[in-house]
Amino acid sequence: MQNIDYGSKRFLIVDNIKQSRDNLKIFAYSLGVLSVDTCCHAPDLFALCESTKFDVILLGYDLGDNKKNGQQILEELRAKGNLSRSCIIIMITAEVSQAMVLAALEHKPNEYITKPYTHKDLTIRLVRCFEKNHVMQHIYAAMDANNHQRVIELCKEQIHNNSAYKHECLGITSRQHFELKEYDKAKKIYTAYLGTQNCQWAAIGLGKIALIENDYYSAERYFQAVIDDNPFYLSAYDWLAKTYQFTNDIDKAEETLEKALLVSPRSVTRLKQYAELCINNKKLHKATNALSKTNDLAYHSIHKKPENAISFAEALIENSDNLTQYEIRKLNIKAFEVLGNMVRDFPANELKVITQFLTARLHQNANDKSLSYNALKDAEKLLDRYKNEITIDGTFSIAKSLISLKRRGKAESLLDKLSQAHPDNMEILSQVVDLSDRPISEKDKAAAQNALEIGVSLYKAGHYILSIDKLNQALYHFPNHLGVKLNLLQVLLVSFEEDSKRIENFKQARILIRQFDHLSPESESYKRFLKLRNKFEALETFNKEIKQ
């Protein structure tokens, strides 16, 4: 065992109870630690970790009501990159429920200790962590630097020396090969250790490679085997659900995440994914409950975002047909509270507009016609005031509310402006079509996108005739697609410019130009159209023999 120079180590103690902080501070000093910081508030902790590199953080789990807990703090520190891999995190808690333990362990503290504990218990864990750090320090430094090759070289040395951390080094090595897309090398390691003790990482790795190779049957078998062997290995559920999504078996994907949430119900990301699957499966009651829990769990975490509140309110509105008036009014109270907190915590004008429209819809569902009408009037005033601050996602949310509130004309106006501003974005245009009265099938969208991509590639390669053919195919599948029309117009003009005998190309260009009369002069697509129209007029001037 290496002697630990505690005098050179910097400790951070995080606990909301002064007596506990003082007790841990005395413990640190008894080891010979000279530098000890303490805090009880998350903002202070994040500021400290941004400015100081700590060797050890003794992190309390329960830091007070309506505050971030230790799990949420650890998750945020890792997400922000404020912790090096060599920093030792020991989670300290009085709670021993399965849900809490699994939620905390998902964010990988180095050790976990429950109250009551002795200084000897804590010392044993510290020594264990420092011994590991001594062996792995250079590997961790290379990982922090994203130096994959160096990590592989250092891990090989530990494996060759039959280190006590050999299996961890094998896992790290395989992940480096995976990151470098050296799947054959990663697969060799995974296969060699599949079936050995604590080999779940190998099965997960083989499952991920199977997904990359589109071998969904094998991927499903690997992930399911991990779950059967260890029902608490939560990432296996996530990967199994992804496998089912790839095979369009959304029901099984939903069921898989539901099982994971029964094991560990405090994962915000997993809850959100589950809610999305429930919405896709038209299980709106489940989605509403999941989004309600998501909003509660996310509130003090790094996952706190406006869309949590918006998604919950929208799911509640969509699910109202399945609820009694009592249930609607009860859930509306929570929705109003959630939306109010969102506007307070995220003071963006767009969110005020969205919230007011959602408020009108919530009142509408509760049959409070007067309240709904007044909220709608206020929402429309806010929209007029802040219309230039509305994002793409905000536009869709507002348009959806306007349609629900029988203001389709206003919704169509918003969607038309969005289409004109993004004429080449198939995803946006597809969403516009979904909300408008101009239905188009998924098959047509896919065919149009494919033809558009091929047509643009052919144009870049100088194959103008072939490009025109493909773009005409795209226009057939998606006749109102501004991007296709503009691209086709450009290729037609370039083709005619190259060979003036291609009169039919020029005639089609003339027909297309007449279809852009509705474009708003304020849109980006209008600027592009003007350039192409000017080019058309110039070509027409120099080719007066062309007769319509």
Side-chain angles (χ1 to χ4, degrees):
M1 184 178 82
Q2 297 290 322
N3 290 325
I4 301 169
D5 180 13
Y6 283 107
S8 65
K9 308 301 180 185
R10 186 150 195 170
F11 275 50
L12 173 61
I13 295 167
V14 185
D15 201 295
N16 69 318
I17 300 173
K18 185 178 185 302
Q19 183 178 352
S20 296
R21 292 197 303 274
D22 290 344
N23 181 42
L24 288 170
K25 197 170 185 179
I26 291 169
F27 163 73
Y29 285 140
S30 73
L31 296 174
V33 180
L34 300 177
S35 177
V36 181
D37 289 287
T38 64
C39 71
C40 58
H41 299 296
D44 297 337
L45 180 146
F46 292 127
L48 279 168
C49 288
E50 285 176 5
S51 62
T52 306
K53 181 180 178 181
F54 290 100
D55 299 290
V56 176
I57 299 179
L58 303 178
L59 179 59
Y61 178 82
D62 185 0
L63 300 176
D65 295 335
N66 296 318
K67 293 181 180 179
K68 291 181 186 290
N69 60 38
Q71 171 211 331
Q72 293 165 333
I73 284 173
L74 180 54
E75 182 180 18
E76 189 163 340
L77 285 172
R78 295 213 186 281
K80 289 180 175 179
N82 293 144
L83 296 178
S84 69
R85 283 176 173 80
S86 60
C87 179
I88 295 170
I89 310 290
I90 298 182
M91 185 81 74
I92 303 172
T93 180
E95 186 179 345
V96 293
S97 69
Q98 174 181 299
M100 178 268 152
V101 173
L102 289 175
L105 291 179
E106 280 203 75
H107 302 294
K108 297 180 173 59
N110 298 80
E111 290 282 349
Y112 177 86
I113 191 169
T114 57
K115 298 178 181 179
Y117 61 88
T118 66
H119 285 184
K120 181 180 178 181
D121 295 329
L122 197 50
T123 302
I124 289 171
R125 284 164 170 74
L126 268 177
V127 169
R128 189 158 59 204
C129 290
F130 276 117
E131 285 181 342
K132 183 176 181 180
N133 271 4
H134 177 73
V135 176
M136 302 288 287
Q137 59 181 323
H138 298 303
I139 294 174
Y140 291 158
M143 290 173 72
D144 286 337
N146 290 317
N147 189 338
H148 301 295
Q149 292 296 349
R150 181 60 176 158
V151 172
I152 292 170
E153 292 170 7
L154 292 168
C155 282
K156 282 182 178 178
E157 291 178 12
Q158 292 297 324
I159 295 167
H160 178 75
N161 294 332
N162 202 28
S163 163
Y165 310 105
K166 173 183 175 179
H167 282 88
E168 180 170 345
C169 288
L170 283 164
I172 292 172
T173 302
S174 62
R175 288 194 294 275
Q176 304 307 303
H177 286 308
F178 192 94
E179 290 294 322
L180 293 169
K181 298 184 178 180
E182 297 172 348
Y183 301 125
D184 288 342
K185 293 180 179 179
K187 195 172 186 178
K188 186 176 180 180
I189 297 173
Y190 294 142
T191 303
Y193 288 89
L194 187 67
T196 61
Q197 189 175 10
N198 297 322
C199 67
Q200 289 92 347
W201 57 271
I204 293 290
L206 286 170
K208 289 163 66 175
I209 291 175
L211 281 182
I212 291 169
E213 296 173 343
N214 298 322
D215 183 0
Y216 302 122
Y217 174 73
S218 295
E220 179 184 354
R221 288 177 60 203
Y222 283 125
F223 299 137
Q224 187 62 60
V226 173
I227 294 170
D228 292 341
D229 183 57
N230 185 352
F232 298 120
Y233 207 96
L234 293 164
S235 66
Y237 294 91
D238 299 328
W239 283 107
L240 181 58
K242 288 178 183 177
T243 303
Y244 289 135
Q245 285 181 272
F246 284 136
T247 57
N248 291 318
D249 196 339
I250 308 301
D251 286 325
K252 282 190 176 179
E254 177 197 322
E255 291 170 11
T256 300
L257 289 186
E258 193 168 301
K259 290 176 183 176
L261 289 168
L262 288 173
V263 176
S264 180
R266 298 190 185 182
S267 169
V268 174
T269 53
R270 194 171 293 117
L271 265 169
K272 290 177 75 171
Q273 179 65 19
Y274 172 69
E276 185 177 325
L277 288 171
C278 289
I279 290 172
N280 291 339
N281 282 339
K282 308 300 182 185
K283 307 280 185 62
L284 295 175
H285 182 68
K286 288 184 176 181
T288 303
N289 288 336
L291 288 168
S292 176
K293 293 175 184 176
T294 297
N295 199 79
D296 293 341
L297 289 171
Y299 192 76
H300 293 293
S301 79
I302 196 171
H303 302 289
K304 179 181 178 181
K305 296 176 182 177
E307 52 262 37
N308 295 336
I310 294 170
S311 295
F312 167 58
E314 288 181 341
L316 171 57
I317 290 166
E318 296 297 328
N319 186 42
S320 60
D321 289 344
N322 303 314
L323 301 174
T324 65
Q325 279 297 304
Y326 171 77
E327 290 172 321
I328 289 173
R329 291 179 183 278
K330 181 180 178 181
L331 286 169
N332 273 6
I333 292 172
K334 179 168 185 179
F336 292 138
E337 178 186 357
V338 164
L339 291 170
N341 289 339
M342 177 193 71
V343 172
R344 183 195 65 210
D345 297 335
F346 300 94
N349 291 325
E350 174 184 77
L351 296 178
K352 295 178 184 177
V353 180
I354 293 172
T355 295
Q356 200 61 35
F357 275 111
L358 289 173
T359 298
R361 293 175 69 189
L362 289 164
H363 284 311
Q364 181 186 58
N365 282 4
N367 287 326
D368 292 328
K369 296 180 180 179
S370 177
L371 291 174
S372 177
Y373 177 79
N374 291 334
L376 174 57
K377 286 298 181 185
D378 290 340
E380 290 178 325
K381 289 177 183 177
L382 286 173
L383 178 58
D384 289 338
R385 185 185 308 170
Y386 300 122
K387 60 185 177 183
N388 294 326
E389 300 179 37
I390 308 300
T391 64
I392 293 169
D393 288 340
T395 299
F396 283 124
S397 178
I398 292 167
K400 192 187 301 182
S401 288
L402 283 166
I403 292 169
S404 174
L405 294 163
K406 307 296 189 282
R407 294 289 199 274
R408 180 169 284 280
K410 204 163 217 175
E412 293 287 356
S413 177
L414 284 177
L415 295 172
D416 283 343
K417 288 180 181 177
L418 190 62
S419 298
Q420 292 175 22
H422 303 276
D424 299 320
N425 191 316
M426 175 66 84
E427 182 180 355
I428 289 175
L429 293 172
S430 296
Q431 290 184 67
V432 168
V433 170
D434 287 341
L435 283 175
S436 70
D437 283 330
R438 296 163 291 195
I440 183 172
S441 70
E442 291 297 324
K443 182 178 179 181
D444 276 336
K445 290 177 192 175
Q449 182 66 42
N450 182 58
L452 176 59
E453 290 174 357
I454 294 174
V456 171
S457 297
L458 288 168
Y459 167 73
K460 291 178 179 178
H463 302 305
Y464 303 130
I465 301 301
L466 294 174
S467 175
I468 290 168
D469 182 60
K470 277 295 175 185
L471 290 172
N472 272 316
Q473 286 182 31
L475 198 61
Y476 171 81
H477 289 289
F478 209 159
N480 295 320
H481 192 317
L482 290 173
V484 174
K485 288 182 178 180
L486 286 168
N487 285 336
L488 178 56
L489 178 57
Q490 181 171 331
V491 182
L492 288 166
L493 294 177
V494 171
S495 174
F496 179 74
E497 189 176 34
E498 182 187 66
D499 185 355
S500 60
K501 293 180 182 179
R502 297 170 181 165
I503 298 174
E504 291 303 313
N505 291 348
F506 196 72
K507 288 182 177 180
Q508 187 181 1
R510 181 183 284 113
I511 293 170
L512 273 176
I513 283 174
R514 293 171 182 166
Q515 297 179 15
F516 288 94
D517 292 338
H518 67 285
L519 277 182
S520 167
E522 298 176 359
S523 69
E524 289 297 318
S525 54
Y526 185 78
K527 296 175 185 176
R528 184 182 175 194
F529 166 67
L530 277 183
K531 292 180 181 178
L532 292 173
R533 189 178 68 180
N534 291 339
K535 186 180 185 70
F536 171 85
E537 291 172 350
L539 287 171
E540 190 173 49
T541 300
F542 290 112
N543 293 274
K544 294 190 179 293
E545 70 276 12
I546 303 294
K547 301 297 182 180
Q548 188 170 351

